[in-house]
PDB file of all heavy atoms in Angstrom:
ATOM      1  N   LEU A 251      16.507  37.792  12.637  1.00 98.00           N
ATOM      2  CA  LEU A 251      16.383  36.340  12.761  1.00 98.00           C
ATOM      3  C   LEU A 251      14.937  35.940  12.536  1.00 98.00           C
ATOM      4  O   LEU A 251      14.019  36.574  13.083  1.00 98.00           O
ATOM      5  CB  LEU A 251      16.801  35.849  14.150  1.00 98.00           C
ATOM      6  CG  LEU A 251      18.264  35.901  14.570  1.00 98.00           C
ATOM      7  CD1 LEU A 251      18.454  35.078  15.842  1.00 98.00           C
ATOM      8  CD2 LEU A 251      19.180  35.389  13.481  1.00 98.00           C
ATOM      9  N   VAL A 252      14.735  34.873  11.770  1.00 98.00           N
ATOM     10  CA  VAL A 252      13.399  34.334  11.538  1.00 98.00           C
ATOM     11  C   VAL A 252      13.457  32.826  11.753  1.00 98.00           C
ATOM     12  O   VAL A 252      14.236  32.127  11.107  1.00 98.00           O
ATOM     13  CB  VAL A 252      12.896  34.636  10.113  1.00 98.00           C
ATOM     14  CG1 VAL A 252      11.506  34.035   9.918  1.00 98.00           C
ATOM     15  CG2 VAL A 252      12.871  36.140   9.856  1.00 98.00           C
ATOM     16  N   LYS A 253      12.611  32.339  12.679  1.00 98.00           N
ATOM     17  CA  LYS A 253      12.497  30.898  12.917  1.00 98.00           C
ATOM     18  C   LYS A 253      11.372  30.349  12.045  1.00 98.00           C
ATOM     19  O   LYS A 253      10.236  30.820  12.103  1.00 98.00           O
ATOM     20  CB  LYS A 253      12.210  30.624  14.396  1.00 98.00           C
ATOM     21  CG  LYS A 253      11.900  29.169  14.739  1.00 98.00           C
ATOM     22  CD  LYS A 253      13.068  28.244  14.482  1.00 98.00           C
ATOM     23  CE  LYS A 253      12.785  26.850  15.032  1.00 98.00           C
ATOM     24  NZ  LYS A 253      11.650  26.181  14.381  1.00 98.00           N
ATOM     25  N   LEU A 254      11.708  29.340  11.211  1.00 98.00           N
ATOM     26  CA  LEU A 254      10.742  28.698  10.333  1.00 98.00           C
ATOM     27  C   LEU A 254      10.551  27.248  10.752  1.00 98.00           C
ATOM     28  O   LEU A 254      11.507  26.589  11.202  1.00 98.00           O
ATOM     29  CB  LEU A 254      11.240  28.722   8.885  1.00 98.00           C
ATOM     30  CG  LEU A 254      11.525  30.093   8.263  1.00 98.00           C
ATOM     31  CD1 LEU A 254      12.167  29.921   6.892  1.00 98.00           C
ATOM     32  CD2 LEU A 254      10.254  30.921   8.167  1.00 98.00           C
ATOM     33  N   ASP A 255       9.336  26.742  10.592  1.00 97.00           N
ATOM     34  CA  ASP A 255       9.124  25.314  10.820  1.00 97.00           C
ATOM     35  C   ASP A 255       9.544  24.530   9.575  1.00 97.00           C
ATOM     36  O   ASP A 255      10.027  25.106   8.588  1.00 97.00           O
ATOM     37  CB  ASP A 255       7.686  25.021  11.247  1.00 97.00           C
ATOM     38  CG  ASP A 255       6.654  25.286  10.149  1.00 97.00           C
ATOM     39  OD1 ASP A 255       7.026  25.390   8.960  1.00 97.00           O
ATOM     40  OD2 ASP A 255       5.455  25.378  10.492  1.00 97.00           O
ATOM     41  N   ASN A 256       9.351  23.229   9.600  1.00 97.00           N
ATOM     42  CA  ASN A 256       9.808  22.390   8.499  1.00 97.00           C
ATOM     43  C   ASN A 256       9.070  22.638   7.192  1.00 97.00           C
ATOM     44  O   ASN A 256       9.541  22.225   6.123  1.00 97.00           O
ATOM     45  CB  ASN A 256       9.703  20.914   8.885  1.00 97.00           C
ATOM     46  CG  ASN A 256      10.807  20.482   9.829  1.00 97.00           C
ATOM     47  OD1 ASN A 256      11.980  20.728   9.569  1.00 97.00           O
ATOM     48  ND2 ASN A 256      10.442  19.863  10.934  1.00 97.00           N
ATOM     49  N   SER A 257       7.927  23.319   7.257  1.00 97.00           N
ATOM     50  CA  SER A 257       7.162  23.660   6.058  1.00 97.00           C
ATOM     51  C   SER A 257       7.376  25.092   5.608  1.00 97.00           C
ATOM     52  O   SER A 257       6.735  25.554   4.665  1.00 97.00           O
ATOM     53  CB  SER A 257       5.668  23.414   6.307  1.00 97.00           C
ATOM     54  OG  SER A 257       5.429  22.062   6.615  1.00 97.00           O
ATOM     55  N   GLY A 258       8.250  25.821   6.312  1.00 97.00           N
ATOM     56  CA  GLY A 258       8.555  27.197   5.941  1.00 97.00           C
ATOM     57  C   GLY A 258       7.665  28.238   6.575  1.00 97.00           C
ATOM     58  O   GLY A 258       7.754  29.417   6.209  1.00 97.00           O
ATOM     59  N   ASN A 259       6.804  27.835   7.526  1.00 98.00           N
ATOM     60  CA  ASN A 259       5.943  28.797   8.207  1.00 98.00           C
ATOM     61  C   ASN A 259       6.721  29.522   9.302  1.00 98.00           C
ATOM     62  O   ASN A 259       7.492  28.902  10.043  1.00 98.00           O
ATOM     63  CB  ASN A 259       4.737  28.085   8.813  1.00 98.00           C
ATOM     64  CG  ASN A 259       3.931  27.357   7.757  1.00 98.00           C
ATOM     65  OD1 ASN A 259       3.511  27.947   6.766  1.00 98.00           O
ATOM     66  ND2 ASN A 259       3.708  26.059   7.960  1.00 98.00           N
ATOM     67  N   MET A 260       6.530  30.843   9.402  1.00 98.00           N
ATOM     68  CA  MET A 260       7.233  31.627  10.405  1.00 98.00           C
ATOM     69  C   MET A 260       6.689  31.327  11.800  1.00 98.00           C
ATOM     70  O   MET A 260       5.492  31.419  12.047  1.00 98.00           O
ATOM     71  CB  MET A 260       7.102  33.127  10.111  1.00 98.00           C
ATOM     72  CG  MET A 260       7.911  34.003  11.071  1.00 98.00           C
ATOM     73  SD  MET A 260       7.600  35.778  10.854  1.00 98.00           S
ATOM     74  CE  MET A 260       8.253  36.036   9.222  1.00 98.00           C
ATOM     75  N   GLU A 261       7.579  30.981  12.718  1.00 98.00           N
ATOM     76  CA  GLU A 261       7.199  30.754  14.113  1.00 98.00           C
ATOM     77  C   GLU A 261       7.476  31.979  14.976  1.00 98.00           C
ATOM     78  O   GLU A 261       6.691  32.309  15.851  1.00 98.00           O
ATOM     79  CB  GLU A 261       7.941  29.532  14.659  1.00 98.00           C
ATOM     80  CG  GLU A 261       7.528  28.228  13.984  1.00 98.00           C
ATOM     81  CD  GLU A 261       8.179  27.017  14.611  1.00 98.00           C
ATOM     82  OE1 GLU A 261       9.186  27.172  15.350  1.00 98.00           O
ATOM     83  OE2 GLU A 261       7.688  25.901  14.387  1.00 98.00           O
ATOM     84  N   TRP A 262       8.623  32.638  14.732  1.00 98.00           N
ATOM     85  CA  TRP A 262       8.894  33.905  15.389  1.00 98.00           C
ATOM     86  C   TRP A 262       9.986  34.641  14.627  1.00 98.00           C
ATOM     87  O   TRP A 262      10.687  34.052  13.807  1.00 98.00           O
ATOM     88  CB  TRP A 262       9.266  33.761  16.865  1.00 98.00           C
ATOM     89  CG  TRP A 262      10.413  32.853  17.215  1.00 98.00           C
ATOM     90  CD1 TRP A 262      10.333  31.562  17.646  1.00 98.00           C
ATOM     91  CD2 TRP A 262      11.828  33.181  17.205  1.00 98.00           C
ATOM     92  NE1 TRP A 262      11.596  31.050  17.885  1.00 98.00           N
ATOM     93  CE2 TRP A 262      12.516  32.028  17.638  1.00 98.00           C
ATOM     94  CE3 TRP A 262      12.547  34.323  16.889  1.00 98.00           C
ATOM     95  CZ2 TRP A 262      13.914  31.982  17.752  1.00 98.00           C
ATOM     96  CZ3 TRP A 262      13.937  34.288  16.987  1.00 98.00           C
ATOM     97  CH2 TRP A 262      14.601  33.135  17.416  1.00 98.00           C
ATOM     98  N   GLN A 263      10.080  35.942  14.860  1.00 98.00           N
ATOM     99  CA  GLN A 263      11.118  36.761  14.255  1.00 98.00           C
ATOM    100  C   GLN A 263      11.554  37.819  15.239  1.00 98.00           C
ATOM    101  O   GLN A 263      10.757  38.261  16.069  1.00 98.00           O
ATOM    102  CB  GLN A 263      10.631  37.385  12.943  1.00 98.00           C
ATOM    103  CG  GLN A 263       9.436  38.319  13.067  1.00 98.00           C
ATOM    104  CD  GLN A 263       9.795  39.752  13.468  1.00 98.00           C
ATOM    105  OE1 GLN A 263      10.805  40.285  13.032  1.00 98.00           O
ATOM    106  NE2 GLN A 263       8.948  40.373  14.307  1.00 98.00           N
ATOM    107  N   LYS A 264      12.819  38.210  15.188  1.00 98.00           N
ATOM    108  CA  LYS A 264      13.340  39.246  16.084  1.00 98.00           C
ATOM    109  C   LYS A 264      14.384  40.072  15.346  1.00 98.00           C
ATOM    110  O   LYS A 264      15.168  39.557  14.537  1.00 98.00           O
ATOM    111  CB  LYS A 264      13.962  38.625  17.333  1.00 98.00           C
ATOM    112  CG  LYS A 264      12.934  37.960  18.243  1.00 98.00           C
ATOM    113  CD  LYS A 264      13.434  37.758  19.646  1.00 98.00           C
ATOM    114  CE  LYS A 264      12.316  37.192  20.510  1.00 98.00           C
ATOM    115  NZ  LYS A 264      12.704  37.028  21.914  1.00 98.00           N
ATOM    116  N   THR A 265      14.383  41.361  15.645  1.00 98.00           N
ATOM    117  CA  THR A 265      15.398  42.270  15.129  1.00 98.00           C
ATOM    118  C   THR A 265      16.358  42.657  16.248  1.00 98.00           C
ATOM    119  O   THR A 265      15.973  42.706  17.431  1.00 98.00           O
ATOM    120  CB  THR A 265      14.770  43.547  14.540  1.00 98.00           C
ATOM    121  OG1 THR A 265      13.965  44.177  15.549  1.00 98.00           O
ATOM    122  CG2 THR A 265      13.902  43.207  13.342  1.00 98.00           C
ATOM    123  N   TYR A 266      17.597  42.958  15.868  1.00 98.00           N
ATOM    124  CA  TYR A 266      18.644  43.316  16.827  1.00 98.00           C
ATOM    125  C   TYR A 266      19.451  44.462  16.229  1.00 98.00           C
ATOM    126  O   TYR A 266      19.794  44.440  15.043  1.00 98.00           O
ATOM    127  CB  TYR A 266      19.578  42.127  17.088  1.00 98.00           C
ATOM    128  CG  TYR A 266      18.878  40.866  17.500  1.00 98.00           C
ATOM    129  CD1 TYR A 266      18.364  40.003  16.533  1.00 98.00           C
ATOM    130  CD2 TYR A 266      18.723  40.513  18.837  1.00 98.00           C
ATOM    131  CE1 TYR A 266      17.718  38.827  16.890  1.00 98.00           C
ATOM    132  CE2 TYR A 266      18.080  39.342  19.209  1.00 98.00           C
ATOM    133  CZ  TYR A 266      17.574  38.503  18.227  1.00 98.00           C
ATOM    134  OH  TYR A 266      16.933  37.343  18.581  1.00 98.00           O
ATOM    135  N   GLY A 267      19.767  45.450  17.062  1.00 98.00           N
ATOM    136  CA  GLY A 267      20.586  46.543  16.564  1.00 98.00           C
ATOM    137  C   GLY A 267      20.366  47.830  17.312  1.00 98.00           C
ATOM    138  O   GLY A 267      19.851  47.851  18.435  1.00 98.00           O
ATOM    139  N   GLY A 268      20.767  48.933  16.640  1.00 98.00           N
ATOM    140  CA  GLY A 268      20.613  50.259  17.200  1.00 98.00           C
ATOM    141  C   GLY A 268      20.175  51.227  16.127  1.00 98.00           C
ATOM    142  O   GLY A 268      19.579  50.840  15.117  1.00 98.00           O
ATOM    143  N   ALA A 269      20.513  52.501  16.317  1.00 97.00           N
ATOM    144  CA  ALA A 269      20.008  53.540  15.435  1.00 97.00           C
ATOM    145  C   ALA A 269      20.751  53.619  14.113  1.00 97.00           C
ATOM    146  O   ALA A 269      20.247  54.208  13.151  1.00 97.00           O
ATOM    147  CB  ALA A 269      20.101  54.896  16.151  1.00 97.00           C
ATOM    148  N   ASP A 270      21.936  53.007  14.036  1.00 98.00           N
ATOM    149  CA  ASP A 270      22.737  53.061  12.814  1.00 98.00           C
ATOM    150  C   ASP A 270      22.576  51.757  12.034  1.00 98.00           C
ATOM    151  O   ASP A 270      21.694  50.952  12.323  1.00 98.00           O
ATOM    152  CB  ASP A 270      24.209  53.325  13.162  1.00 98.00           C
ATOM    153  CG  ASP A 270      24.937  54.119  12.085  1.00 98.00           C
ATOM    154  OD1 ASP A 270      24.796  53.763  10.911  1.00 98.00           O
ATOM    155  OD2 ASP A 270      25.650  55.085  12.432  1.00 98.00           O
ATOM    156  N   ASN A 271      23.448  51.539  11.036  1.00 98.00           N
ATOM    157  CA  ASN A 271      23.380  50.329  10.220  1.00 98.00           C
ATOM    158  C   ASN A 271      23.998  49.147  10.955  1.00 98.00           C
ATOM    159  O   ASN A 271      25.131  49.224  11.441  1.00 98.00           O
ATOM    160  CB  ASN A 271      24.111  50.533   8.892  1.00 98.00           C
ATOM    161  CG  ASN A 271      23.343  51.421   7.951  1.00 98.00           C
ATOM    162  OD1 ASN A 271      22.125  51.311   7.828  1.00 98.00           O
ATOM    163  ND2 ASN A 271      24.049  52.308   7.273  1.00 98.00           N
ATOM    164  N   ASP A 272      23.252  48.043  10.995  1.00 98.00           N
ATOM    165  CA  ASP A 272      23.697  46.797  11.607  1.00 98.00           C
ATOM    166  C   ASP A 272      23.365  45.676  10.630  1.00 98.00           C
ATOM    167  O   ASP A 272      22.189  45.450  10.322  1.00 98.00           O
ATOM    168  CB  ASP A 272      22.998  46.554  12.945  1.00 98.00           C
ATOM    169  CG  ASP A 272      22.979  47.801  13.824  1.00 98.00           C
ATOM    170  OD1 ASP A 272      24.055  48.230  14.252  1.00 98.00           O
ATOM    171  OD2 ASP A 272      21.878  48.345  14.049  1.00 98.00           O
ATOM    172  N   GLY A 273      24.393  44.988  10.105  1.00 98.00           N
ATOM    173  CA  GLY A 273      24.187  43.982   9.068  1.00 98.00           C
ATOM    174  C   GLY A 273      24.670  42.611   9.492  1.00 98.00           C
ATOM    175  O   GLY A 273      25.836  42.423   9.825  1.00 98.00           O
ATOM    176  N   LEU A 274      23.772  41.630   9.508  1.00 98.00           N
ATOM    177  CA  LEU A 274      24.086  40.272   9.935  1.00 98.00           C
ATOM    178  C   LEU A 274      24.524  39.433   8.731  1.00 98.00           C
ATOM    179  O   LEU A 274      23.844  39.408   7.710  1.00 98.00           O
ATOM    180  CB  LEU A 274      22.859  39.637  10.598  1.00 98.00           C
ATOM    181  CG  LEU A 274      23.038  38.352  11.407  1.00 98.00           C
ATOM    182  CD1 LEU A 274      21.841  38.140  12.329  1.00 98.00           C
ATOM    183  CD2 LEU A 274      23.195  37.114  10.532  1.00 98.00           C
ATOM    184  N   HIS A 275      25.644  38.704   8.883  1.00 98.00           N
ATOM    185  CA  HIS A 275      26.177  37.904   7.786  1.00 98.00           C
ATOM    186  C   HIS A 275      26.199  36.406   8.048  1.00 98.00           C
ATOM    187  O   HIS A 275      26.211  35.624   7.093  1.00 98.00           O
ATOM    188  CB  HIS A 275      27.607  38.347   7.449  1.00 98.00           C
ATOM    189  CG  HIS A 275      27.678  39.654   6.749  1.00 98.00           C
ATOM    190  ND1 HIS A 275      28.716  40.545   6.931  1.00 98.00           N
ATOM    191  CD2 HIS A 275      26.849  40.241   5.863  1.00 98.00           C
ATOM    192  CE1 HIS A 275      28.525  41.621   6.187  1.00 98.00           C
ATOM    193  NE2 HIS A 275      27.389  41.454   5.535  1.00 98.00           N
ATOM    194  N   SER A 276      26.265  35.974   9.306  1.00 98.00           N
ATOM    195  CA  SER A 276      26.485  34.556   9.567  1.00 98.00           C
ATOM    196  C   SER A 276      25.874  34.156  10.895  1.00 98.00           C
ATOM    197  O   SER A 276      25.916  34.919  11.866  1.00 98.00           O
ATOM    198  CB  SER A 276      27.994  34.261   9.578  1.00 98.00           C
ATOM    199  OG  SER A 276      28.259  32.910   9.860  1.00 98.00           O
ATOM    200  N   ILE A 277      25.312  32.937  10.939  1.00 98.00           N
ATOM    201  CA  ILE A 277      24.746  32.389  12.169  1.00 98.00           C
ATOM    202  C   ILE A 277      25.256  30.972  12.361  1.00 98.00           C
ATOM    203  O   ILE A 277      25.537  30.259  11.391  1.00 98.00           O
ATOM    204  CB  ILE A 277      23.200  32.402  12.140  1.00 98.00           C
ATOM    205  CG1 ILE A 277      22.619  32.030  13.512  1.00 98.00           C
ATOM    206  CG2 ILE A 277      22.648  31.491  11.057  1.00 98.00           C
ATOM    207  CD1 ILE A 277      21.132  32.252  13.636  1.00 98.00           C
ATOM    208  N   SER A 278      25.380  30.569  13.622  1.00 97.00           N
ATOM    209  CA  SER A 278      25.792  29.217  13.966  1.00 97.00           C
ATOM    210  C   SER A 278      25.049  28.782  15.218  1.00 97.00           C
ATOM    211  O   SER A 278      24.586  29.616  16.005  1.00 97.00           O
ATOM    212  CB  SER A 278      27.307  29.166  14.210  1.00 97.00           C
ATOM    213  OG  SER A 278      27.727  27.864  14.501  1.00 97.00           O
ATOM    214  N   GLN A 279      24.918  27.483  15.386  1.00 95.00           N
ATOM    215  CA  GLN A 279      24.364  26.944  16.623  1.00 95.00           C
ATOM    216  C   GLN A 279      25.329  27.229  17.753  1.00 95.00           C
ATOM    217  O   GLN A 279      26.552  27.160  17.584  1.00 95.00           O
ATOM    218  CB  GLN A 279      24.147  25.439  16.488  1.00 95.00           C
ATOM    219  CG  GLN A 279      23.200  24.842  17.519  1.00 95.00           C
ATOM    220  CD  GLN A 279      21.753  24.873  17.083  1.00 95.00           C
ATOM    221  OE1 GLN A 279      21.440  24.674  15.925  1.00 95.00           O
ATOM    222  NE2 GLN A 279      20.854  25.123  18.017  1.00 95.00           N
ATOM    223  N   ALA A 280      24.795  27.564  18.929  1.00 95.00           N
ATOM    224  CA  ALA A 280      25.608  27.792  20.119  1.00 95.00           C
ATOM    225  C   ALA A 280      25.184  26.779  21.168  1.00 95.00           C
ATOM    226  O   ALA A 280      24.210  26.990  21.900  1.00 95.00           O
ATOM    227  CB  ALA A 280      25.441  29.211  20.645  1.00 95.00           C
ATOM    228  N   GLY A 281      25.870  25.669  21.215  1.00 83.00           N
ATOM    229  CA  GLY A 281      25.461  24.592  22.102  1.00 83.00           C
ATOM    230  C   GLY A 281      24.161  23.975  21.620  1.00 83.00           C
ATOM    231  O   GLY A 281      23.813  24.030  20.438  1.00 83.00           O
ATOM    232  N   GLU A 282      23.414  23.382  22.533  1.00 80.00           N
ATOM    233  CA  GLU A 282      22.178  22.704  22.169  1.00 80.00           C
ATOM    234  C   GLU A 282      20.978  23.648  22.144  1.00 80.00           C
ATOM    235  O   GLU A 282      19.975  23.351  21.499  1.00 80.00           O
ATOM    236  CB  GLU A 282      21.897  21.561  23.147  1.00 80.00           C
ATOM    237  CG  GLU A 282      22.926  20.443  23.083  1.00 80.00           C
ATOM    238  CD  GLU A 282      22.595  19.308  24.021  1.00 80.00           C
ATOM    239  OE1 GLU A 282      21.575  19.408  24.745  1.00 80.00           O
ATOM    240  OE2 GLU A 282      23.350  18.321  24.040  1.00 80.00           O
ATOM    241  N   ASN A 283      21.071  24.761  22.845  1.00 85.00           N
ATOM    242  CA  ASN A 283      19.892  25.607  23.020  1.00 85.00           C
ATOM    243  C   ASN A 283      20.211  27.078  22.817  1.00 85.00           C
ATOM    244  O   ASN A 283      20.100  27.883  23.735  1.00 85.00           O
ATOM    245  CB  ASN A 283      19.291  25.405  24.428  1.00 85.00           C
ATOM    246  CG  ASN A 283      18.806  24.001  24.636  1.00 85.00           C
ATOM    247  OD1 ASN A 283      17.940  23.527  23.906  1.00 85.00           O
ATOM    248  ND2 ASN A 283      19.368  23.317  25.613  1.00 85.00           N
TER     249      ASN A 283
END
Side-chain angles (χ1 to χ4, degrees):
L251 290 193
V252 179
K253 173 64 171 63
L254 301 173
D255 67 17
N256 284 310
S257 300
N259 301 306
M260 184 187 294
E261 294 185 343
W262 55 262
Q263 61 83 38
K264 292 199 176 183
T265 57
Y266 307 85
D270 211 313
N271 287 318
D272 314 294
L274 194 162
H275 287 146
S276 178
I277 189 170
S278 182
Q279 198 89 38
E282 295 182 358
N283 297 301

